[in-house]
């Protein structure tokens, strides 16, 4: 290879045309393998040594890797401040989100304590805040309400009325939530151990955002009863959100005014304070802890104004202090919640890893997806023993943790500092509902994805809308299943419906671009360069062949039919010719008295083999009924171009750009072989270009190459294939084998192409 002189901004490379066989020689392809064998990998897995044990411990317990290197001088102040800020948010959000799970508020506080400590030890993200989250809470609530509805705890009152045994119901729901959390954690740990962290890639961003937006709608509808002070009936299954909303609208005349006033006042204060935090984020050293302020103020007002006794406003009640001893979950419930636990595990992990990777990319560190699965699983499994319910990271708390100076996982334990600030509380439940509403603002902002996706990617828009609608109508569990299935179908459709294009050369370069997209890309006469935008597999192999025929203008079936008709017609003409010559021979024999054999009479007509009718202009040619076939006479190079083109399109060679193929299945191998065979039968030579090395190895293992399909028909690039075709058509022409040739070489190439148009091909017919 030689590098020629060129001006800045361009390059000239002089090298020979490389097909795959020649490339193996020039690049010195070896048969060795740098990959370890299966036996070596097994030995490495079973090998036990001190360095290996250290690597395993550091990978599975990340705190051992980063904590000894922790810089107190640089990080401790920011970590403590951010931890205290997030801890203040944990208190009201934990209690509020516990209501979404149909659990006592104290369980939300527990869920904000134990999982955070576990994640400090096993997590790899430095900025996410683990704990309660609205979407996960409502998914847990759907399970607790289904397995422990109020109707199961009805007791007779003293005046003959029925009431709900609150203590028994809450105890049962706590047991259900803890069992669900432990099972969720087990699923996450198992998936992490088998290194199944890549599964989150199947949950695309439009799917997650559409799902969380629909979940926010579920959360809002579930909290409306607290804002208006009504008690609607409970609905399960598909369309339950619609039924609940209709029921609340029906009960609006029964709205309790005191609770509505409390809700409006609390909502107004929260919205104004949140806007102030957003507007003056850069100037405020700490965000205003408005949720905690509202709870404290509501507690004081409720106590001194007698809202509970005089206006019968529902209050949260006493928050017990201290921690409870661990308790084993009820494993008999696992069979009733397997599907729910798996859905919670996947959704929780998807939210967790998406936030973790976002902050990691921003601050330049790495998040291990498989270790995050294990860490999330341990948080849920251990937390389930201490009366916690399923947790994941929160966007609002994580943003606060980052914006207030948090740099490492040390900020997580710092969240425990404010936990002693709350002991005994009695404030309206409507206040917690308003806190939930305000914290869902970020999720409702995701509605702006719709116009943005309409402008950028309508397939992603369809995924977003299907996810949103299915989750709204079918609830969170079935909605997730439908959303993932539809998302996978879009991937399948993209592979089945790729875009196909014919490439043309940009004059003076080695660039080959879509002729429909680039005006300067010109097709080379007689050569079709075909490219697919997706890999070829069993799902789109048939459409690939159909598009190839359509784009090249060559209908294989029709040409094969015409060929059969032509061959039959030629056989009839040959029989007529033989009969006529036989009659003439008899006539001459009778006149001359000499009998001549057919072979002696005309040695140019063998009994079998190929007859070149171009050397017999005085013979009978094709009849007029063969006008559906149009002969093209161009020079044939039988060794390279096979049986040259006899099709009306004038195409003698097709180059398949297979650079997009990433792997080969049996259907693809068979399809490519059929393309070589079928197009070869109608006189069109097929070449492959741009094949990846791994695909070439798969071709060799599949016995793709043979005498009829030599490896020399596979080229390194499209440009190599084009130059070889042109050089074969005019071997005496000195084709400039230059990659990226400039305009000064263009006339030389153009002359070759022009000469190729006016060359001739002889038609060989097998008798």
């Amino acid at each position: 290879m030689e590098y020629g002189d060129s001006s800045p901004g361009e390059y000239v490379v002089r090298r020979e045309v490389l097909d795959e066989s020649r490339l193996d020689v020039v690049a010195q392809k070896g048969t060795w393998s740098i990959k370890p064998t299966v036996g070596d990998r097994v030995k490495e897995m079973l090998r036990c040594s001190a360095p290996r044990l250290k690597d395993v411990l550091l990978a599975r317990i990340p705190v051992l890797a980063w904590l000894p290197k922790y810089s107190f001088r640089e990080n401790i102040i920011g970590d403590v401040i951010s931890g205290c800020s997030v801890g203040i948010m944990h208190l009201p959000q934990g209690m509020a989100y516990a209501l979404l799970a149909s659990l006592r508020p104290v369980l939300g506080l527990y869920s904000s304590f134990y999982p955070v400590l576990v994640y400090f030890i096993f997590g790899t993200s430095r900025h996410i805040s683990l704990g309660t989250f609205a979407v996960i809470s409502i998914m847990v609530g759907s399970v607790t309400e289904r397995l422990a509805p109020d109707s199961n705890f009805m007791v007779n009152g003293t005046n003959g009325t029925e009431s709900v045994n609150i203590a028994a119901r809450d105890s049962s729901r706590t047991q259900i939530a803890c069992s669900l959390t432990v099972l969720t954690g087990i699923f996450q740990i198992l998936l992490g151990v088998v290194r199944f962290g890549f599964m989150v890639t199947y949950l695309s961003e439009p799917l997650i955002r559409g799902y969380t937006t629909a979940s926010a709608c579920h959360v809002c509808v579930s909290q409306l009863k607290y804002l208006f002070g009504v008690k609607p009936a409970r609905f399960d299954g598909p369309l339950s959100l619609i039924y609940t909303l209709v029921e609340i609208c029906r009960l609006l005349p029964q709205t309790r005014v005191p609770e509505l006033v409390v809700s409006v006042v609390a909502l107004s204060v929260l919205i104004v304070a949140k806007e102030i935090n957003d507007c003056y984020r850069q100037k405020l050293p700490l965000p205003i802890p408005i949720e905690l302020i509202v709870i404290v103020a509501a507690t004081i007002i409720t106590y001194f104004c007698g809202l509970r006794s005089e206006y019968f406003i529902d209050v949260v009640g006493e928050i017990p202090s201290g921690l409870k001893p661990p308790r084993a979950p009820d494993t008999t419930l696992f069979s009733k919640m397997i599907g729910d636990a798996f859905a919670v595990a996947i959704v929780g992990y998807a939210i967790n890893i998406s936030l973790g990777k976002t902050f990691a990319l921003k601050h330049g560190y790495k998040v291990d997806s498989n270790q995050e699965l294990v860490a999330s699983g341990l948080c849920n499994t251990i937390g389930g023993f201490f009366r916690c319910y399923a947790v994941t990271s929160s966007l609002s708390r994580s943003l606060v943790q980052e914006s207030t100076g948090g740099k490492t996982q040390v900020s997580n334990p710092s969240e425990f500092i404010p936990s002693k600030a709350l002991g005994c509380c009695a404030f309206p439940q409507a206040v917690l509902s308003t806190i939930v509403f305000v914290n869902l603002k970020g999720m409702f902002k995701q509605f702006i994805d719709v116009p943005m996706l309409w402008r950028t990617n309508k397939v992603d828009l369809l995924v977003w809308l299907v996810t949103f609608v299915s989750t709204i109508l079918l609830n969170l569990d079935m909605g997730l299943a439908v959303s993932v299935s539809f998302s996978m179908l879009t991937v399948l459709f993209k592979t089945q419906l790729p875009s196909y294009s014919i490439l043309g050369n940009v004059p003076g370069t080695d660039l080959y671009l879509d002729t429909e997209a680039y005006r300067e890309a010109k097709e080379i006469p007689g050569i079709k360069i075909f490219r697919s935008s997706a890999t070829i597999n069993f799902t789109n192999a048939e459409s690939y062949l159909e598009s190839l025929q359509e784009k090249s203008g060559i209908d294989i079936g029709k040409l094969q039919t015409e060929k059969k008709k032509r061959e039959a017609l030629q056989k009839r003409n040959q029989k007529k010719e033989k009969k006529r010559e036989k009659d003439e021979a008899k006539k001459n024999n009778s006149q001359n008295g000499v009998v001549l054999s057919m072979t002696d009479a005309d040695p140019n007509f063998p009994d079998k083999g190929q007859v070149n009718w171009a050397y017999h202009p005085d013979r009978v040619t094709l009849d007029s009924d063969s006008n559906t076939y149009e002969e093209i006479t161009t020079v044939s190079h039988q060794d390279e171009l096979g049986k040259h083109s006899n099709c009306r399109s004038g195409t003698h060679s097709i180059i398949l750009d297979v650079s997009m193929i990433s792997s080969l299945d049996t259907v693809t191998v068979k399809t490519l072989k059929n393309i070589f065979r079928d197009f070869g039968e109608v006189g069109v030579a097929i070449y492959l270009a741009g094949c990846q090395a791994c695909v070439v190895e798969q071709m060799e293992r599949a016995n793709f190459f043979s005498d009829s399909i030599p490896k020399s028909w596979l080229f390194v690039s499209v440009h190599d294939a084009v130059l070889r075709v042109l050089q074969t058509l005019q071997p005496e022409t000195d084709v400039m084998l230059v990659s990226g040739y400039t305009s000064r070489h263009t006339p030389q190439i153009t002359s070759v192409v022009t000469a190729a148009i006016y060359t001739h091909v002889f038609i060989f017919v097998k008798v």
Side-chain angles (χ1 to χ4, degrees), residues 411-479:
S411 57
N412 291 332
S414 303
E415 299 171 10
F416 304 149
I417 296 176
S419 62
K420 298 299 182 181
L422 213 58
C424 180
C425 295
F427 54 91
Q429 287 187 345
V431 173
L432 289 183
S433 297
T434 57
I435 293 174
V436 172
F437 268 99
V438 173
N439 283 297
L440 293 177
K441 173 187 174 183
M443 292 188 185
F444 285 120
K445 281 186 176 181
Q446 294 176 159
F447 277 112
I448 63 176
D449 291 350
V450 174
M452 184 270 294
L453 292 175
W454 173 264
R455 295 190 300 268
T456 58
N457 193 314
K458 292 183 174 56
V459 175
D460 285 345
L461 172 63
L462 194 59
V463 172
W464 197 101
L465 293 176
V466 169
T467 302
F468 179 81
V469 173
S470 61
T471 306
I472 288 290
L473 299 180
L474 303 177
N475 284 347
L476 296 173
D477 48 358
M478 295 180 62

Side-chain angles (χ1 to χ4, degrees), residues 49-240:
S49 62
R52 178 171 176 79
L53 179 61
K54 178 182 177 181
D55 293 340
V56 171
L57 288 177
L58 294 180
R60 292 303 181 186
I61 310 177
V63 69
L64 299 178
W66 64 264
L67 189 58
K69 305 175 184 178
Y70 182 78
S71 176
F72 281 87
R73 178 179 298 178
E74 296 179 3
N75 301 327
I76 190 65
I77 296 178
D79 287 340
V80 171
I81 292 176
S82 65
C84 292
S85 303
V86 175
I88 293 173
M89 296 179 64
H90 262 303
L91 299 176
Q93 288 187 5
M95 292 186 293
Y97 291 152
L99 295 181
L100 298 179
S102 299
L103 301 170
R104 290 182 298 165
V106 67
L107 269 70
L109 297 180
Y110 294 158
S111 300
S112 302
F113 179 78
Y114 292 105
V116 172
L117 181 60
V118 175
Y119 188 82
F120 166 77
I121 299 174
F122 297 99
T124 60
S125 176
R126 304 175 188 175
H127 294 91
I128 64 173
S129 173
L130 219 65
T132 56
F133 189 58
V135 174
I136 300 299
S137 298
I138 198 170
M139 293 179 73
V140 174
S142 65
V143 179
T144 56
E145 291 186 2
R146 186 184 77 243
L147 298 182
D150 291 343
S151 58
N152 291 356
F153 303 94
M154 301 300 294
V155 295
N156 294 326
T158 56
N159 55 357
T161 60
E162 291 186 344
S163 61
V164 179
N165 188 339
I166 301 296
R169 183 200 65 182
D170 290 347
S171 177
S172 178
R173 289 181 175 179
T174 300
Q175 187 71 15
I176 293 171
C178 294
S179 300
L180 176 67
T181 302
V182 172
L183 185 58
T184 298
I186 292 174
F187 277 132
Q188 291 176 330
I189 292 174
L190 292 177
L191 293 175
V193 169
V194 299
R195 308 189 66 81
F196 211 61
F198 70 89
M199 64 181 298
V200 74
T201 58
Y202 293 100
L203 300 176
S204 63
E205 183 179 0
L207 187 148
I208 294 176
R209 294 176 70 87
Y211 185 80
T212 53
T213 305
S215 301
C217 295
H218 278 276
V219 171
C220 285
V221 172
S222 69
Q223 295 302 294
L224 289 176
K225 60 182 179 181
Y226 297 112
L227 266 65
F228 294 102
V230 296
K231 296 182 178 180
R234 180 180 177 275
F235 299 94
D236 292 322
L239 301 179
S240 61

Side-chain angles (χ1 to χ4, degrees), residues 384-395:
F385 284 89
F386 290 92
R387 292 177 176 81
C388 302
Y389 69 91
V391 296
T392 188
S393 56
S394 167
L395 176 60

Side-chain angles (χ1 to χ4, degrees), residues 512 524 527 529 655 718-727:
Y512 292 84
I524 300 176
I527 302 176
I529 307 171
I655 300 173
V718 172
H719 194 53
D720 288 86
V722 170
L723 294 179
R724 175 57 57 83
V725 172
L726 297 178
Q727 192 180 39

Side-chain angles (χ1 to χ4, degrees), residues 31 33 109 112 234 484 524 552 662 767:
T31 57
S33 176
L109 297 180
S112 302
R234 180 180 177 275
V484 173
I524 300 176
S552 63
S662 57
V767 179

